[in-house]
Coordinates of all heavy atoms in Angstrom, one line a residue:
M144 N 57.3 -58.9 -36.7 CA 56.0 -59.1 -37.3 C 55.0 -58.0 -36.8 O 55.0 -57.7 -35.6 CB 55.4 -60.4 -36.9 CG 54.1 -60.8 -37.5 SD 53.6 -62.4 -37.1 CE 54.2 -63.4 -38.3
T145 N 54.3 -57.4 -37.7 CA 53.3 -56.3 -37.3 C 52.0 -56.9 -36.9 O 51.6 -57.8 -37.6 CB 53.3 -55.2 -38.3 OG1 52.7 -55.8 -39.5 CG2 54.6 -54.6 -38.6
S146 N 51.4 -56.4 -35.9 CA 50.1 -56.8 -35.5 C 49.1 -55.8 -36.0 O 49.2 -54.7 -36.0 CB 49.9 -57.1 -34.0 OG 50.1 -55.8 -33.4
V147 N 47.9 -56.4 -36.5 CA 46.8 -55.4 -37.0 C 46.1 -55.1 -35.6 O 45.6 -55.9 -34.9 CB 46.0 -56.2 -38.0 CG1 44.8 -55.4 -38.5 CG2 46.8 -56.7 -39.1
P148 N 45.8 -53.7 -35.5 CA 45.0 -53.4 -34.4 C 43.6 -53.8 -34.5 O 43.1 -53.9 -35.6 CB 45.1 -51.9 -34.4 CG 45.4 -51.5 -35.8 CD 46.2 -52.7 -36.3
P149 N 42.9 -54.0 -33.4 CA 41.5 -54.4 -33.5 C 40.6 -53.3 -34.1 O 41.0 -52.1 -33.9 CB 41.1 -54.7 -32.0 CG 42.0 -54.0 -31.3 CD 43.3 -53.9 -32.1
P150 N 39.5 -53.6 -34.7 CA 38.6 -52.5 -35.2 C 38.1 -51.6 -34.1 O 37.9 -52.1 -32.9 CB 37.5 -53.3 -35.9 CG 37.5 -54.6 -35.3 CD 38.9 -54.8 -34.9
P151 N 37.9 -50.4 -34.2 CA 37.5 -49.4 -33.2 C 36.0 -49.8 -32.8 O 35.2 -50.3 -33.6 CB 37.5 -48.1 -33.8 CG 37.4 -48.3 -35.2 CD 38.1 -49.6 -35.5
E152 N 35.7 -49.7 -31.6 CA 34.3 -49.9 -31.1 C 33.6 -48.6 -31.1 O 34.0 -47.5 -31.0 CB 34.3 -50.5 -29.6 CG 34.9 -51.8 -29.5 CD 34.9 -52.4 -28.2 OE1 33.8 -52.0 -27.5 OE2 35.8 -53.1 -27.8
N153 N 32.2 -48.8 -31.4 CA 31.4 -47.6 -31.3 C 31.0 -47.2 -29.9 O 30.5 -48.1 -29.2 CB 30.1 -47.9 -32.2 CG 30.5 -48.0 -33.7 OD1 31.4 -47.5 -34.1 ND2 29.7 -48.8 -34.4
Y154 N 31.2 -46.0 -29.6 CA 30.9 -45.6 -28.2 C 29.9 -44.4 -28.2 O 30.0 -43.6 -29.1 CB 32.1 -45.1 -27.4 CG 32.9 -46.3 -27.0 CD1 34.1 -46.7 -27.7 CD2 32.7 -47.0 -25.8 CE1 34.8 -47.8 -27.3 CE2 33.5 -48.0 -25.4 CZ 34.6 -48.5 -26.2 OH 35.3 -49.5 -25.8
W155 N 29.1 -44.4 -27.3 CA 28.1 -43.2 -27.1 C 28.9 -42.2 -26.5 O 30.0 -42.4 -26.0 CB 27.0 -43.7 -26.2 CG 26.0 -44.5 -26.7 CD1 25.9 -45.9 -26.7 CD2 24.8 -44.1 -27.6 NE1 24.8 -46.4 -27.3 CE2 24.2 -45.3 -27.9 CE3 24.4 -43.0 -28.1 CZ2 23.0 -45.3 -28.7 CZ3 23.3 -42.9 -28.9 CH2 22.7 -44.1 -29.2
P156 N 28.4 -41.0 -26.4 CA 29.2 -39.9 -25.8 C 29.5 -40.1 -24.4 O 30.4 -39.6 -23.9 CB 28.3 -38.7 -26.1 CG 27.4 -38.9 -27.2 CD 27.3 -40.4 -27.2
S157 N 28.7 -40.9 -23.7 CA 28.9 -41.3 -22.3 C 30.1 -42.2 -22.1 O 30.5 -42.5 -21.0 CB 27.6 -41.8 -21.7 OG 27.3 -43.1 -22.3
G158 N 30.6 -42.8 -23.2 CA 31.7 -43.7 -23.1 C 31.3 -45.2 -23.1 O 32.1 -46.0 -23.0
Q159 N 30.0 -45.5 -23.0 CA 29.4 -46.9 -22.9 C 29.4 -47.4 -24.4 O 29.2 -46.7 -25.3 CB 28.0 -46.9 -22.4 CG 27.9 -46.4 -21.0 CD 28.6 -47.2 -20.1 OE1 28.7 -48.5 -20.2 NE2 29.4 -46.6 -19.1
P160 N 29.8 -48.7 -24.5 CA 29.7 -49.3 -25.9 C 28.3 -49.2 -26.5 O 27.3 -49.3 -25.7 CB 30.1 -50.7 -25.6 CG 30.6 -50.8 -24.3 CD 30.2 -49.6 -23.6
Q161 N 28.2 -49.1 -27.7 CA 27.0 -48.9 -28.4 C 26.4 -50.3 -28.8 O 27.1 -51.0 -29.5 CB 27.1 -48.1 -29.6 CG 25.8 -47.9 -30.5 CD 26.1 -47.0 -31.6 OE1 27.2 -46.5 -31.9 NE2 25.1 -46.8 -32.5
A162 N 25.3 -50.6 -28.4 CA 24.5 -51.8 -28.7 C 23.9 -51.6 -30.1 O 23.4 -50.6 -30.5 CB 23.4 -52.1 -27.7
P163 N 24.0 -52.7 -31.0 CA 23.4 -52.5 -32.3 C 21.8 -52.4 -32.2 O 21.2 -53.1 -31.5 CB 23.7 -53.8 -33.0 CG 24.2 -54.8 -31.9 CD 24.6 -53.9 -30.8
G164 N 21.3 -51.4 -32.8 CA 19.9 -51.1 -32.7 C 19.2 -51.5 -34.0 O 19.8 -52.0 -34.9
P165 N 17.9 -51.3 -34.0 CA 17.2 -51.6 -35.3 C 17.7 -50.7 -36.4 O 18.0 -49.6 -36.1 CB 15.8 -51.4 -34.9 CG 15.7 -50.5 -33.8 CD 17.1 -50.8 -33.0
S166 N 17.6 -51.2 -37.6 CA 18.0 -50.4 -38.7 C 16.9 -49.3 -39.0 O 15.7 -49.5 -38.6 CB 18.2 -51.2 -40.0 OG 17.0 -51.9 -40.2
P167 N 17.3 -48.2 -39.5 CA 16.3 -47.2 -39.7 C 15.3 -47.7 -40.7 O 15.6 -48.3 -41.7 CB 17.1 -46.0 -40.2 CG 18.4 -46.6 -40.6 CD 18.6 -47.8 -39.9
R168 N 14.1 -47.2 -40.6 CA 13.0 -47.6 -41.4 C 13.1 -46.8 -42.8 O 13.4 -45.6 -42.7 CB 11.7 -47.3 -40.9 CG 11.5 -48.0 -39.5 CD 10.0 -48.0 -39.1 NE 9.6 -49.3 -38.8 CZ 8.5 -49.8 -39.2 NH1 7.5 -49.0 -39.6 NH2 8.0 -51.0 -39.0
V169 N 12.8 -47.4 -43.8 CA 12.8 -46.8 -45.1 C 11.3 -46.3 -45.3 O 10.4 -47.0 -45.3 CB 13.2 -47.8 -46.2 CG1 13.1 -47.1 -47.6 CG2 14.5 -48.3 -46.0
Q170 N 11.3 -45.0 -45.6 CA 10.0 -44.4 -45.8 C 9.5 -44.6 -47.2 O 10.4 -44.4 -48.1 CB 10.0 -42.9 -45.4 CG 10.3 -42.7 -44.0 CD 10.1 -41.2 -43.7 OE1 9.9 -40.3 -44.5 NE2 10.3 -40.9 -42.4
A171 N 8.4 -45.0 -47.4 CA 7.9 -45.3 -48.7 C 7.4 -43.9 -49.4 O 7.1 -43.0 -48.7 CB 6.6 -46.1 -48.6
G172 N 7.7 -43.8 -50.6 CA 7.4 -42.6 -51.4 C 5.9 -42.5 -51.6 O 5.1 -43.4 -51.2
P173 N 5.5 -41.5 -52.4 CA 4.0 -41.4 -52.6 C 3.5 -42.6 -53.5 O 4.3 -43.1 -54.3 CB 3.9 -40.0 -53.4 CG 5.3 -39.7 -53.8 CD 6.2 -40.4 -52.9
P174 N 2.3 -42.8 -53.5 CA 1.9 -43.9 -54.3 C 1.8 -43.6 -55.8 O 1.9 -42.4 -56.2 CB 0.3 -44.1 -53.8 CG 0.0 -42.8 -53.3 CD 1.2 -42.2 -52.8
F175 N 1.7 -44.6 -56.6 CA 1.7 -44.4 -58.1 C 0.3 -43.9 -58.5 O -0.7 -44.3 -57.9 CB 2.0 -45.7 -58.7 CG 3.4 -46.0 -59.0 CD1 4.1 -46.7 -58.1 CD2 4.2 -45.5 -60.0 CE1 5.5 -47.0 -58.2 CE2 5.5 -45.7 -60.2 CZ 6.1 -46.5 -59.3
S176 N 0.3 -43.2 -59.6 CA -1.1 -42.8 -60.2 C -1.6 -44.0 -60.9 O -1.0 -44.5 -61.8 CB -0.7 -41.6 -61.1 OG -1.9 -41.4 -61.9
K177 N -2.8 -44.3 -60.5 CA -3.5 -45.5 -61.1 C -3.8 -45.2 -62.6 O -3.8 -46.1 -63.4 CB -4.8 -45.8 -60.4 CG -4.5 -46.4 -59.0 CD -5.8 -46.7 -58.2 CE -5.5 -47.3 -56.9 NZ -5.0 -46.4 -55.9
A178 N -4.2 -43.9 -63.0 CA -4.4 -43.6 -64.3 C -3.1 -43.7 -65.2 O -3.2 -44.2 -66.4 CB -5.0 -42.1 -64.4
A179 N -1.9 -43.4 -64.6 CA -0.6 -43.6 -65.4 C -0.4 -45.1 -65.6 O 0.0 -45.5 -66.7 CB 0.4 -43.0 -64.7
I180 N -0.7 -45.9 -64.6 CA -0.6 -47.3 -64.8 C -1.5 -47.8 -65.9 O -1.1 -48.7 -66.7 CB -0.6 -48.1 -63.5 CG1 0.5 -47.6 -62.6 CG2 -0.6 -49.5 -63.7 CD1 0.3 -48.2 -61.2
A181 N -2.7 -47.5 -65.7 CA -3.7 -48.0 -66.7 C -3.5 -47.5 -68.2 O -3.6 -48.3 -69.1 CB -5.2 -47.4 -66.3
G182 N -3.0 -46.3 -68.3 CA -2.6 -45.8 -69.6 C -1.5 -46.5 -70.2 O -1.5 -46.8 -71.5
F183 N -0.5 -46.8 -69.4 CA 0.6 -47.6 -69.9 C 0.2 -48.9 -70.3 O 0.6 -49.5 -71.4 CB 1.7 -47.6 -68.8 CG 3.0 -48.4 -69.3 CD1 3.8 -47.9 -70.3 CD2 3.1 -49.6 -68.7 CE1 4.9 -48.6 -70.6 CE2 4.3 -50.4 -69.1 CZ 5.2 -49.9 -70.1
V184 N -0.6 -49.6 -69.5 CA -1.1 -51.0 -69.8 C -1.9 -50.9 -71.1 O -1.8 -51.8 -72.0 CB -1.8 -51.6 -68.6 CG1 -2.5 -52.9 -69.0 CG2 -0.9 -51.9 -67.4
L185 N -2.8 -50.0 -71.2 CA -3.6 -49.9 -72.4 C -2.7 -49.7 -73.7 O -3.1 -50.1 -74.7 CB -4.7 -48.8 -72.3 CG -5.9 -49.2 -71.5 CD1 -6.9 -48.0 -71.3 CD2 -6.6 -50.4 -72.1
G186 N -1.8 -48.8 -73.5 CA -0.8 -48.5 -74.6 C -0.1 -49.8 -75.0 O 0.0 -50.0 -76.2
C187 N 0.3 -50.5 -74.1 CA 1.1 -51.8 -74.5 C 0.0 -52.8 -75.1 O 0.4 -53.5 -76.1 CB 1.6 -52.5 -73.2 SG 3.0 -51.6 -72.5
A188 N -1.1 -53.0 -74.5 CA -2.2 -53.9 -75.1 C -2.6 -53.4 -76.5 O -2.9 -54.2 -77.3 CB -3.3 -54.0 -74.1
G189 N -2.7 -52.1 -76.7 CA -3.0 -51.5 -78.0 C -2.1 -51.9 -79.2 O -2.5 -52.0 -80.3
L190 N -0.8 -52.0 -78.8 CA 0.1 -52.4 -79.8 C -0.1 -53.9 -80.3 O 0.3 -54.2 -81.5 CB 1.6 -52.3 -79.3 CG 2.0 -50.9 -79.1 CD1 3.5 -50.9 -78.5 CD2 2.1 -50.1 -80.3
V191 N -0.8 -54.7 -79.5 CA -1.0 -56.0 -79.9 C -2.4 -56.1 -80.6 O -2.5 -56.8 -81.5 CB -1.0 -57.0 -78.7 CG1 -1.5 -58.4 -79.1 CG2 0.3 -57.0 -78.1
V192 N -3.3 -55.3 -80.2 CA -4.7 -55.4 -80.6 C -4.9 -54.6 -81.9 O -5.6 -54.9 -82.8 CB -5.7 -54.9 -79.6 CG1 -7.1 -54.9 -80.0 CG2 -5.6 -55.8 -78.3
F193 N -4.2 -53.4 -82.1 CA -4.4 -52.5 -83.2 C -5.8 -52.1 -83.4 O -6.4 -52.3 -84.4 CB -3.8 -53.1 -84.5 CG -2.3 -53.3 -84.6 CD1 -1.8 -54.4 -84.9 CD2 -1.5 -52.2 -84.3 CE1 -0.4 -54.5 -85.0 CE2 -0.2 -52.3 -84.4 CZ 0.4 -53.5 -84.7
A194 N -6.4 -51.5 -82.4 CA -7.7 -51.1 -82.5 C -7.8 -49.6 -82.0 O -6.7 -48.9 -82.0 CB -8.7 -51.9 -81.7
F195 N -8.8 -49.2 -81.7 CA -9.1 -47.8 -81.2 C -8.6 -47.6 -79.7 O -9.2 -46.8 -79.0 CB -10.4 -47.3 -81.3 CG -10.8 -46.7 -82.7 CD1 -11.4 -47.5 -83.6 CD2 -10.2 -45.5 -83.0 CE1 -11.5 -47.0 -85.0 CE2 -10.3 -44.9 -84.3 CZ -11.1 -45.8 -85.3
V196 N -7.8 -48.6 -79.2 CA -7.3 -48.5 -77.9 C -6.4 -47.4 -77.7 O -6.1 -46.8 -76.6 CB -6.6 -49.9 -77.5 CG1 -6.1 -49.8 -76.0 CG2 -7.7 -51.0 -77.6
G197 N -5.6 -46.9 -78.8 CA -4.6 -46.0 -78.7 C -5.0 -44.7 -78.2 O -4.4 -44.0 -77.3
P198 N -6.2 -44.0 -78.8 CA -6.6 -42.8 -78.3 C -7.1 -42.9 -76.8 O -6.9 -42.0 -76.0 CB -7.8 -42.5 -79.1 CG -7.5 -43.2 -80.5 CD -6.9 -44.3 -80.0
L199 N -7.7 -44.0 -76.5 CA -8.1 -44.1 -75.0 C -6.9 -44.2 -74.1 O -6.8 -43.6 -73.0 CB -8.9 -45.4 -74.9 CG -9.4 -45.8 -73.5 CD1 -10.4 -44.7 -73.1 CD2 -10.0 -47.2 -73.5
A200 N -5.8 -44.9 -74.5 CA -4.6 -44.9 -73.8 C -4.0 -43.6 -73.7 O -3.5 -43.3 -72.5 CB -3.5 -46.0 -74.4
T201 N -4.0 -42.8 -74.7 CA -3.4 -41.5 -74.8 C -4.2 -40.6 -73.8 O -3.6 -39.8 -73.0 CB -3.5 -40.8 -76.1 OG1 -2.8 -41.7 -77.0 CG2 -2.8 -39.5 -76.1
V202 N -5.5 -40.7 -73.7 CA -6.3 -39.8 -72.8 C -6.1 -40.2 -71.4 O -5.8 -39.3 -70.5 CB -7.8 -39.8 -73.3 CG1 -8.6 -39.2 -72.2 CG2 -8.0 -39.2 -74.6
I203 N -6.1 -41.5 -71.1 CA -5.9 -41.9 -69.7 C -4.5 -41.6 -69.3 O -4.4 -41.2 -68.1 CB -6.3 -43.4 -69.6 CG1 -7.7 -43.7 -69.8 CG2 -5.9 -44.0 -68.2 CD1 -8.2 -45.0 -69.8
S204 N -3.6 -41.8 -70.1 CA -2.1 -41.3 -69.7 C -2.1 -39.9 -69.5 O -1.4 -39.4 -68.6 CB -1.2 -41.8 -70.7 OG -1.1 -43.2 -70.9
R205 N -2.8 -39.1 -70.3 CA -2.7 -37.6 -70.0 C -3.2 -37.3 -68.6 O -2.8 -36.4 -67.9 CB -3.5 -37.0 -71.1 CG -3.6 -35.5 -71.0 CD -2.2 -34.8 -71.1 NE -2.4 -33.3 -71.0 CZ -1.7 -32.7 -70.0 NH1 -1.0 -33.3 -69.2 NH2 -1.9 -31.4 -69.9
V206 N -4.4 -38.0 -68.3 CA -5.0 -37.7 -66.9 C -3.9 -38.2 -65.9 O -3.9 -37.5 -64.9 CB -6.3 -38.5 -66.8 CG1 -6.8 -38.5 -65.3 CG2 -7.4 -38.0 -67.7
G207 N -3.3 -39.3 -66.1 CA -2.3 -39.8 -65.1 C -1.2 -38.8 -65.0 O -0.6 -38.6 -63.9
L208 N -0.8 -38.1 -66.1 CA 0.3 -37.1 -66.0 C -0.1 -36.0 -65.3 O 0.7 -35.4 -64.5 CB 0.8 -36.8 -67.5 CG 2.0 -35.8 -67.7 CD1 3.2 -36.6 -67.1 CD2 2.1 -35.5 -69.2
R209 N -1.4 -35.5 -65.4 CA -1.8 -34.4 -64.7 C -1.8 -34.7 -63.2 O -1.6 -34.0 -62.3 CB -3.2 -34.0 -65.2 CG -3.6 -32.7 -64.6 CD -5.0 -32.3 -65.1 NE -6.0 -33.1 -64.7 CZ -7.0 -33.7 -65.4 NH1 -7.1 -33.4 -66.7 NH2 -7.9 -34.5 -64.9
H210 N -2.3 -36.0 -62.8 CA -2.4 -36.4 -61.5 C -0.9 -36.4 -60.9 O -0.8 -36.0 -59.7 CB -3.0 -37.7 -61.3 CG -4.4 -37.8 -61.5 ND1 -5.2 -38.9 -61.5 CD2 -5.3 -36.7 -61.7 CE1 -6.5 -38.6 -61.7 NE2 -6.6 -37.3 -61.8
T211 N 0.1 -36.8 -61.6 CA 1.5 -36.9 -61.0 C 1.8 -35.4 -60.7 O 2.6 -35.3 -59.8 CB 2.5 -37.5 -62.0 OG1 2.4 -36.9 -63.3 CG2 2.1 -39.0 -62.1
R212 N 1.4 -34.4 -61.6 CA 1.9 -33.1 -61.4 C 1.1 -32.4 -60.2 O 1.8 -31.8 -59.3 CB 1.8 -32.3 -62.7 CG 2.4 -31.0 -62.7 CD 2.4 -30.2 -64.0 NE 2.3 -31.1 -65.2 CZ 1.2 -31.0 -65.9 NH1 0.3 -30.3 -65.8 NH2 1.2 -31.9 -67.0
E213 N -0.2 -32.6 -60.2 CA -1.0 -31.8 -59.3 C -1.0 -32.5 -57.9 O -1.0 -31.8 -56.9 CB -2.5 -31.8 -59.8 CG -2.6 -30.8 -61.0 CD -4.0 -30.9 -61.6 OE1 -4.8 -31.7 -61.1 OE2 -4.2 -30.2 -62.6
R214 N -1.1 -33.8 -57.8 CA -1.2 -34.4 -56.5 C 0.1 -35.1 -56.0 O 0.1 -35.6 -54.9 CB -2.2 -35.6 -56.7 CG -3.5 -35.2 -57.1 CD -4.5 -36.4 -57.3 NE -5.8 -35.9 -57.8 CZ -6.8 -36.8 -58.1 NH1 -6.6 -38.1 -58.0 NH2 -7.9 -36.3 -58.5
G215 N 1.2 -34.8 -56.8 CA 2.5 -35.3 -56.3 C 2.6 -36.8 -56.3 O 3.3 -37.4 -55.4
L216 N 2.0 -37.5 -57.1 CA 2.0 -38.9 -57.2 C 3.2 -39.3 -58.1 O 3.7 -38.5 -58.9 CB 0.8 -39.6 -57.7 CG -0.5 -39.2 -57.0 CD1 -1.7 -39.8 -57.8 CD2 -0.5 -39.9 -55.6
R217 N 3.6 -40.7 -58.0 CA 4.6 -41.2 -58.9 C 4.1 -41.7 -60.1 O 2.8 -41.9 -60.2 CB 5.3 -42.3 -58.1 CG 6.2 -41.8 -57.0 CD 6.7 -42.9 -56.0 NE 7.0 -44.2 -56.6 CZ 7.4 -45.2 -56.0 NH1 7.4 -45.2 -54.7 NH2 7.6 -46.4 -56.6
G218 N 4.8 -42.0 -61.1 CA 4.4 -42.6 -62.4 C 4.5 -41.6 -63.6 O 3.8 -41.9 -64.5
R219 N 5.2 -40.6 -63.5 CA 5.2 -39.6 -64.6 C 5.8 -40.3 -65.9 O 5.4 -40.1 -66.9 CB 6.1 -38.4 -64.2 CG 6.3 -37.4 -65.2 CD 7.1 -36.2 -64.8 NE 7.2 -35.2 -65.8 CZ 8.0 -35.1 -66.8 NH1 9.1 -35.9 -66.7 NH2 7.9 -34.0 -67.6
G220 N 6.9 -41.2 -65.6 CA 7.4 -41.8 -66.8 C 6.5 -42.9 -67.4 O 6.4 -43.0 -68.6
L221 N 5.7 -43.5 -66.6 CA 4.7 -44.4 -67.1 C 3.6 -43.6 -67.9 O 3.2 -44.2 -69.1 CB 4.0 -45.2 -66.0 CG 4.7 -46.3 -65.3 CD1 4.0 -46.8 -64.1 CD2 5.1 -47.4 -66.2
A222 N 3.2 -42.5 -67.4 CA 2.2 -41.7 -68.2 C 2.7 -41.3 -69.5 O 2.1 -41.4 -70.5 CB 1.7 -40.6 -67.3
I223 N 4.0 -40.8 -69.5 CA 4.6 -40.4 -70.8 C 4.8 -41.6 -71.8 O 4.5 -41.5 -73.0 CB 5.9 -39.7 -70.5 CG1 5.7 -38.4 -69.8 CG2 6.7 -39.5 -71.9 CD1 7.0 -37.8 -69.3
A224 N 5.2 -42.7 -71.3 CA 5.3 -43.8 -72.1 C 4.0 -44.4 -72.7 O 3.8 -44.7 -73.8 CB 6.0 -45.0 -71.4
G225 N 2.9 -44.3 -71.8 CA 1.5 -44.6 -72.2 C 1.1 -43.7 -73.3 O 0.4 -44.2 -74.3
M226 N 1.4 -42.4 -73.2 CA 1.0 -41.5 -74.3 C 1.7 -41.8 -75.6 O 1.1 -41.9 -76.7 CB 1.2 -40.1 -73.8 CG 0.4 -39.6 -72.8 SD 0.8 -37.9 -72.1 CE 0.5 -36.9 -73.5
I227 N 2.9 -42.1 -75.5 CA 3.8 -42.4 -76.7 C 3.2 -43.7 -77.3 O 3.0 -43.7 -78.6 CB 5.3 -42.4 -76.3 CG1 5.7 -41.1 -76.0 CG2 6.1 -43.1 -77.5 CD1 7.2 -41.2 -75.5
L228 N 3.0 -44.7 -76.5 CA 2.5 -46.0 -77.0 C 1.1 -45.8 -77.7 O 0.7 -46.4 -78.6 CB 2.4 -47.1 -76.0 CG 3.9 -47.5 -75.4 CD1 3.7 -48.4 -74.2 CD2 4.5 -48.3 -76.7
G229 N 0.3 -45.0 -77.0 CA -1.1 -44.8 -77.5 C -1.1 -44.0 -78.9 O -1.8 -44.4 -79.8
V230 N -0.2 -43.1 -79.0 CA -0.1 -42.4 -80.3 C 0.5 -43.4 -81.4 O 0.0 -43.4 -82.5 CB 0.8 -41.1 -80.2 CG1 1.2 -40.6 -81.5 CG2 0.0 -40.1 -79.3
A231 N 1.5 -44.2 -81.0 CA 2.0 -45.1 -82.0 C 1.0 -46.2 -82.3 O 0.9 -46.5 -83.5 CB 3.2 -45.9 -81.3
D232 N 0.2 -46.6 -81.4 CA -0.8 -47.6 -81.7 C -1.8 -47.0 -82.6 O -2.2 -47.7 -83.6 CB -1.5 -48.0 -80.3 CG -2.8 -48.9 -80.7 OD1 -2.7 -49.7 -81.5 OD2 -3.8 -48.6 -80.0
F233 N -2.3 -45.7 -82.4 CA -3.3 -45.2 -83.3 C -2.7 -44.9 -84.7 O -3.3 -45.2 -85.7 CB -3.7 -43.9 -82.7 CG -5.0 -43.4 -83.5 CD1 -6.1 -44.1 -83.6 CD2 -4.9 -42.1 -84.1 CE1 -7.2 -43.6 -84.3 CE2 -6.0 -41.7 -84.8 CZ -7.2 -42.4 -85.0
A234 N -1.3 -44.6 -84.7 CA -0.7 -44.4 -86.0 C -0.6 -45.7 -86.9 O -0.8 -45.8 -88.0 CB 0.7 -43.8 -85.8
F235 N -0.2 -46.8 -86.1 CA -0.2 -48.1 -86.8 C -1.4 -48.5 -87.2 O -1.7 -49.1 -88.3 CB 0.4 -49.1 -85.8 CG 1.9 -49.1 -85.6 CD1 2.5 -49.4 -84.4 CD2 2.8 -48.5 -86.5 CE1 3.8 -49.2 -84.1 CE2 4.2 -48.3 -86.3 CZ 4.6 -48.7 -85.1
Y236 N -2.5 -48.2 -86.5 CA -3.9 -48.6 -86.9 C -4.3 -47.8 -88.2 O -4.8 -48.4 -89.2 CB -4.9 -48.2 -85.8 CG -6.4 -48.4 -86.3 CD1 -6.9 -49.6 -86.4 CD2 -7.1 -47.2 -86.5 CE1 -8.2 -49.7 -86.8 CE2 -8.4 -47.3 -87.0 CZ -9.0 -48.5 -87.1 OH -10.2 -48.6 -87.5
L237 N -4.0 -46.5 -88.3 CA -4.4 -45.8 -89.4 C -3.5 -46.3 -90.7 O -4.1 -46.3 -91.7 CB -4.1 -44.3 -89.2 CG -5.1 -43.6 -88.2 CD1 -4.6 -42.1 -88.1 CD2 -6.5 -43.7 -88.7
I238 N -2.3 -46.5 -90.6 CA -1.4 -47.0 -91.6 C -2.0 -48.4 -92.0 O -2.1 -48.6 -93.3 CB 0.1 -47.1 -91.1 CG1 0.6 -45.8 -90.9 CG2 0.9 -47.9 -92.1 CD1 2.0 -45.8 -90.3
S239 N -2.3 -49.3 -91.2 CA -2.8 -50.6 -91.6 C -4.1 -50.5 -92.2 O -4.5 -51.2 -93.1 CB -2.8 -51.6 -90.4 OG -3.7 -51.2 -89.5
R240 N -4.9 -49.5 -91.8 CA -6.4 -49.4 -92.3 C -6.4 -48.7 -93.6 O -7.1 -49.1 -94.5 CB -7.2 -48.6 -91.2 CG -8.5 -48.3 -91.6 CD -9.5 -49.3 -91.4 NE -10.8 -48.9 -91.7 CZ -11.8 -49.7 -91.7 NH1 -11.7 -50.9 -91.4 NH2 -13.0 -49.2 -92.1
Y241 N -5.7 -47.6 -93.8 CA -5.9 -46.8 -95.0 C -4.7 -46.8 -96.1 O -4.9 -46.5 -97.1 CB -6.1 -45.4 -94.6 CG -7.4 -45.1 -93.8 CD1 -7.4 -44.9 -92.5 CD2 -8.6 -45.4 -94.5 CE1 -8.5 -44.8 -91.8 CE2 -9.8 -45.1 -93.7 CZ -9.7 -44.8 -92.4 OH -10.9 -44.7 -91.7
V242 N -3.5 -47.3 -95.6 CA -2.4 -47.3 -96.5 C -2.2 -48.8 -97.2 O -2.1 -49.0 -98.3 CB -1.1 -46.8 -95.9 CG1 0.1 -47.1 -96.8 CG2 -1.3 -45.4 -95.5
M243 N -2.3 -49.7 -96.3 CA -2.1 -51.1 -96.7 C -3.3 -51.7 -97.3 O -3.1 -52.5 -98.2 CB -1.6 -51.9 -95.5 CG -0.2 -51.6 -95.0 SD 0.4 -52.7 -93.9 CE 2.0 -52.1 -93.6
H244 N -4.5 -51.3 -96.9 CA -5.7 -51.8 -97.5 C -6.7 -50.6 -97.8 O -7.7 -50.3 -97.1 CB -6.5 -52.7 -96.3 CG -5.7 -53.8 -96.0 ND1 -5.3 -54.9 -96.7 CD2 -5.1 -53.9 -94.7 CE1 -4.5 -55.7 -95.9 NE2 -4.4 -55.1 -94.7
P245 N -6.4 -50.0 -99.0 CA -7.2 -48.9 -99.4 C -8.6 -49.2 -99.8 O -9.1 -50.1 -100.1 CB -6.4 -48.3 -100.6 CG -5.4 -49.2 -101.0 CD -5.3 -50.3 -100.0

């Protein structure tokens, strides 16, 4: 019958057994751009409201996109999504206003 060897112990270079220490701290990344978040939220809300929220969401998202690039903040994807939602909101508004109800 073969025996399984015990798992190797972790040793310091001095030969002493290594005591388990605290886990390494995870460093937080840069904060999110508040303008990118606000533009995304307005873009989402504009799809429900169908008003002139779309251009506002687009402008605020553009500011958020600029902040992510210049200041190194997170939220680039939110800013792009906010711009797309803002343009879609305004397009739906124009279609419902002038095409469906002339």
Side-chain angles (χ1 to χ4, degrees):
M144 183 181 268
T145 61
S146 64
V147 177
E152 293 186 30
N153 294 333
Y154 285 97
W155 288 97
S157 65
Q159 298 296 323
Q161 179 181 355
S166 61
R168 299 188 126 220
V169 176
Q170 294 183 358
F175 275 93
S176 169
K177 291 179 177 72
I180 295 171
F183 178 73
V184 169
L185 281 175
C187 289
L190 290 175
V191 176
V192 177
F193 289 128
F195 278 100
V196 179
L199 182 64
T201 304
V202 169
I203 291 175
S204 294
R205 176 68 180 120
V206 170
L208 186 63
R209 189 177 70 226
H210 285 177
T211 59
R212 192 175 332 116
E213 292 174 356
R214 299 179 185 175
L216 300 174
R217 292 171 29 192
R219 182 175 185 267
L221 287 175
I223 293 171
M226 290 175 67
I227 292 170
L228 288 172
V230 170
D232 170 41
F233 192 61
F235 290 148
Y236 171 74
L237 290 178
I238 289 170
S239 68
R240 173 85 177 170
Y241 294 111
V242 174
M243 293 185 171
H244 304 290

